Amino acid sequence: MTVSRRDFIKHCAAAAAVTSLPLGLSRSTEAANAAPLTATALDASLEWGKAPCRFCGTGCGVMVGVKDGKVVSVAGDELNPVNKGLLCIKGYSLPGILYGEDRLTTPQIRNNGKLKDATWDEALDLVANKFKESVDQHGPKSVAMYGSGQWTITDGYAALKWFKGGIGSNNVEANARLCMASAVTGFITTFGADEPMGCYDDFEKADAFVLWGNNMAEMHPVLFSRLLERRRKASWVKIHDMATRRTPTTEWADVHYSMEPQSDLAIANAIARIIINTGRYDKKFINEHTVFKSGKENIGYGLEDNFNFKDAPKAMTFAEYSKYVQKYTPAHVEEISGIPAAKIKQLAEVYADKFTKVVSLWCMGMNQHNRGTWINNLVYNLHLLTGKICAPGNNPLSLTGQPSACGTVREVGTLAHRLPSDMVVMKPRHREIAANIWGVPISNINPKPGYNTVEMFRAFDRGDIKVMWTQTTNPMVSMPNLIRYREGAQKDGRFLVVSEIYPTPTTEVADVVLPAAMWVEREGMFGNTERRTQQWNKLVDPPGEAKSDAWQTIEVAKRMGYADLFKYGEQTYERELFEEYRQFTLGTGHDLGTYDQYIAARGLRWPVVDGKETPWRYTSKYDPYVTKGKKIEFYSNKKTGGKAVVWARPYEPAPEVPDNEFPFWLCTGRVLEHWHTGSMTRRVPHLHRAVPEAYVEMNAKDAADNGIQDGEKVRVKSRRGELELKVVLNGKGKPRRGSVFVPFFDEGKLINEVTLDSYCPISKEPDYKKCAVKIEKLKAI
Amino acid sequence: MQADPPRLESVKQNIEQQIGAEIAEVVENFLVVVLETDDDRQMKERFDAIVNLPGVISANLAYYNTEDLAKNS
Ligand code: SF4
């Protein structure tokens, strides 16, 4: 029995792998012939269901195998066009993250400094009372909800509706503010609407890929294999890797550009200058589809409390814009960036050459940037000047880190100024639409935006916010300048509610902890990078008394007297919430399909019109929203008559740059093995063992100059905090001289006590990639 | 997984001899490798060993199963 079962499983595994080989390759073996096209039939003794992966924004399709009420198997879903049957190494941790030994299973209330088990009724009543008391005594601005790009679509929608339609507070934010806000403001200022025009299908059509500070091989491995596969089939295809350190991506790139932090602003302008000065801009496209604008400059860094900024766009002509970029000569930009002028010209060719189809890709390198909105604008400029946009294989594509940063935070609009479907609280018409769908008076919706994330935690520290609820996120690891915010959360008169699946540094400072059901323990939906919305069904029971975030929010809202807003069935609330939310999207260009359509499909890319998805937007060939007779139209940009904006944005230095006292740049980021703050992946023993703790990557020459050896412990110190870490000189990443890299997943070594809480004044997204530190050798004991 | 075509033969040899894994299929420069281990720790170690072999471009996962076979027998 054992032997045959073992062989059978091996056969299934091999067959699944063979069916996931790139299409077009011959599948010769018996295994392949015997393999059915759906993984569901691979092992009939298990029950199978489809779901998007719980981890990153790629949105790979997973077939989940259940035995005796437990998830025991995962297979890449070959019917899902995102990953065509493949998963990355994180994918195989999916069963593991559900079954960590210390899963939270009961509500807990802090009593005399200790968290003690409580019933759901006790916990929910307490939370509802605290919210009510605070709103009654200090007004709606004194409460806040801080959610996540890992929230399902309905989790986010329930929270938004309760806060904005019920309480009348706009203090709803999500951790996507820390990763995607600059992408959003970049899209909105350039195109008038959020999210990309292109999709992953661009990868199989492009001639060149330019990675702007993006370690795709580790952070988006499944997509990176699609790039490599494209290059294998088309030998002329080149991958350009621009970054502040060498990474596994560099190993497989054709050209590496080692750049100084912050210099991407200058590099993009230099490329624009070359395109213009060599006459290789697309005059017709520019005339028909673009306008030129400039905005305020020297805009600050958001370092002071209650920082405020409003841009003042001014129209400019193409001639004025051309003049504006003239100062970015390759020689001048070589000085700023450290990239030789000849190489800058080489990179410019990729964009300037009429026959090269180019896809630009980026993620946190450009978004977690004190000028995040600007650098997004500047990369769009390159595609707009050359007309290389809205065509298969020719597009900018902003990648996302979290599984539903797009679907939940950006589309539902769980941000301080937003309403669903790209609407904002500031506009009376938008408030009216929302109020009608919610059946509440328009006066319920506050026209003034709430606090953005950093300001929200500052307000919690000051006491302007008194009660805060966090769901599916771990701010006491992920906030920059962390010491201030952790101390703030523990001050007298603050009340923190945390919905979580495992104990974290955030639950440690919580007054109430609510156990959450996750991923296939409940029904849900995520929306990925390429506008693809995916649905899954509940496949196993959650442990103990854990419940979904949406359920928890609705129960508290009801106890506060907002039952009318949530008249849904106990079994059907997921579907009902979604169908209601969908009303916001119809006729807007963000149209979503029906719940049943998502049950049937392996995801659909919006706008979904008449049941049909839209792979490429703004082009008449694919997008039904383009006005008849037009080929391309940026129809969401009403202000400009359907045109995109080419922005004149300068290079400005970072707020804190290395000096004699703090001579190194510090950049933070993720590692392949861990998901974000590690609260899930550190519970998976093999992942924890593989990368048990944070470390600091240094350039070998810098280490030698400072007499530092590989493996030695050093102190990484900034003006705000310090941390002892082991030095890694020959790891996967090798920073350029003058900079160091530290991953942020380790709650035992909190690098965010060292980072700076500066942010992009337009997007309010913090810059986790740049501050100044010194590296001190520890004295031998 | 995907191997650098000129180094395919050495990748195959290394996988079988050094890592002791079973190659179920080779199509062009793509290999289907089956790993069976007693626990996840070994799985991760062997997966990493494959990723780190010279000439390996990428390794992805297509199917993962965890079962206590002794219990089932
Ligand atoms: S690439 Fe992202 S979505 Fe795909 S399996 Fe890996 S973590 Fe999951």
Side-chain angles (χ1 to χ4, degrees), chain A residues 47 92 113 117 231 387 478:
Chain A
E47 273 173 54
Y92 101 75
D117 286 359
R231 187 176 61 180
S478 57

Side-chain angles (χ1 to χ4, degrees), chain A residues 53-60 83 86-91 219-223:
Chain A
C53 170
R54 169 66 183 77
F55 294 116
C56 86
T58 302
C60 294
N83 54 320
L86 294 178
L87 298 174
C88 81
I89 184 78
K90 270 196 289 283
M219 297 307 126
H220 296 89
V222 168
L223 296 181

Side-chain angles (χ1 to χ4, degrees), chain A residues 2 5-6 29 73-74 87, chain B residues 25 36 61-62 64-65 67 73:
Chain A
T2 309
R5 172 92 186 128
R6 168 175 282 132
T29 60
S73 240
V74 288
L87 298 174
Chain B
E25 171 72 272
E36 188 195 350
L61 175 93
Y64 169 70
N65 189 80
E67 249 176 83
S73 59

